[in-house]
Amino acid sequence: MEQILLIEPQKMYADEIWKFRQEILECDAENEDQFAGCLLLDVSKSSEEWIKICELGKNEETCGDVGMNVPAHTYLAVCRKDDKVVGVIDLRHHINHPVLGTWGGHCGYSVRPSERGKGYAKEMLRLNIQNAKSMGIEKILITCDIENAASEKVILANGGVYEKTIDVDGCKMKRYWITVPFRKGENE
């Protein structure tokens, strides 16, 4: 697998963001969860508008302006070798909200259809766990549809511990917790 970086959306990736969006719209038209972790990318009119939405979404004071219940950072997964956007992942600062605390969890992610099966989601989540560590988040709730074996595999590969399966409007969702590794004394 190529090395990737998680970086916050920025104008230099505007074209790549839009290509990523277009590929998901074309390849995942039947998937209602096609833009998981992508914070309104599906309804944004341009990459620049989406970048601004992501910026507003990071702050407690402005996240409500873009329809978010809690602040979250959104990251592009970018290949080091060619600057291609291969995925998007978010990290909610907390899940003190009925939906997020039940089935929304701390993060969602999407991988570009042409880049799936290459280990990017696993690496994206691993890097996002490091982001959680830097934010002082000690445990991450991540959920997946009971039929989404690929996402479940990513969660398990990153230390996800199964808690239970819940029903969300007729959809069975598995809940997993990942303990963010801290060294003794590091987060005291």
Side-chain angles (χ1 to χ4, degrees):
M1 184 189 83
E2 299 170 30
Q3 292 273 337
I4 60 170
L5 298 168
L6 291 189
I7 60 170
E8 291 187 43
Q10 46 194 277
K11 192 172 182 165
M12 70 181 281
Y13 292 104
D15 288 343
E16 269 301 305
I17 291 166
W18 215 245
K19 288 176 187 173
F20 170 88
R21 178 187 182 272
Q22 196 58 37
E23 191 172 322
I24 288 186
L25 286 172
E26 290 171 5
C27 297
D28 290 342
E30 302 301 313
N31 181 357
E32 67 181 48
D33 216 16
Q34 67 190 143
F35 283 98
C38 294
L39 182 61
L40 302 175
L41 180 57
D42 55 334
V43 296
S44 295
K45 293 182 179 30
S46 69
S47 296
E48 292 77 14
E49 178 186 51
W50 183 69
I51 292 167
K52 184 173 182 167
I53 288 169
C54 291
E55 187 64 31
L56 292 169
K58 294 188 314 189
N59 300 304
E60 189 78 48
E61 300 80 32
T62 56
C63 67
D65 296 346
V66 292
M68 295 173 56
N69 296 305
V70 302
H73 274 71
T74 302
Y75 302 97
L76 303 173
V78 178
C79 281
R80 290 179 191 248
K81 77 166 190 168
D82 60 6
D83 277 343
K84 183 176 185 177
V85 173
V86 296
V88 175
I89 190 168
D90 66 353
L91 179 60
R92 295 176 189 100
H93 299 185
H94 61 81
I95 55 171
N96 299 334
H97 181 272
V99 170
L100 298 177
T102 303
W103 64 269
H106 280 91
C107 67
Y109 46 88
S110 293
V111 174
R112 193 176 193 143
S114 62
E115 301 297 331
R116 293 180 183 154
K118 298 179 181 179
Y120 289 126
K122 179 181 171 184
E123 181 66 2
M124 288 165 56
L125 183 53
R126 186 189 73 77
L127 293 170
N128 215 26
I129 292 167
Q130 293 175 9
N131 290 335
K133 179 179 180 177
S134 70
M135 288 184 186
I137 300 170
E138 296 179 6
K139 279 181 95 172
I140 299 174
L141 172 65
I142 302 183
T143 64
C144 66
D145 185 297
I146 198 167
E147 295 178 12
N148 191 340
S151 189
E152 182 176 29
K153 187 176 175 182
V154 166
I155 295 166
L156 291 170
N158 277 285
V161 176
Y162 174 77
E163 179 192 54
K164 64 182 175 180
T165 300
I166 60 171
D167 183 85
V168 179
D169 298 327
C171 179
K172 300 287 185 198
M173 302 287 290
K174 290 185 173 184
R175 289 172 47 104
Y176 290 88
W177 288 95
I178 296 175
T179 300
V180 177
F182 287 93
R183 281 181 250 139
K184 185 171 170 81
E186 193 173 42
N187 197 33
E188 295 175 355

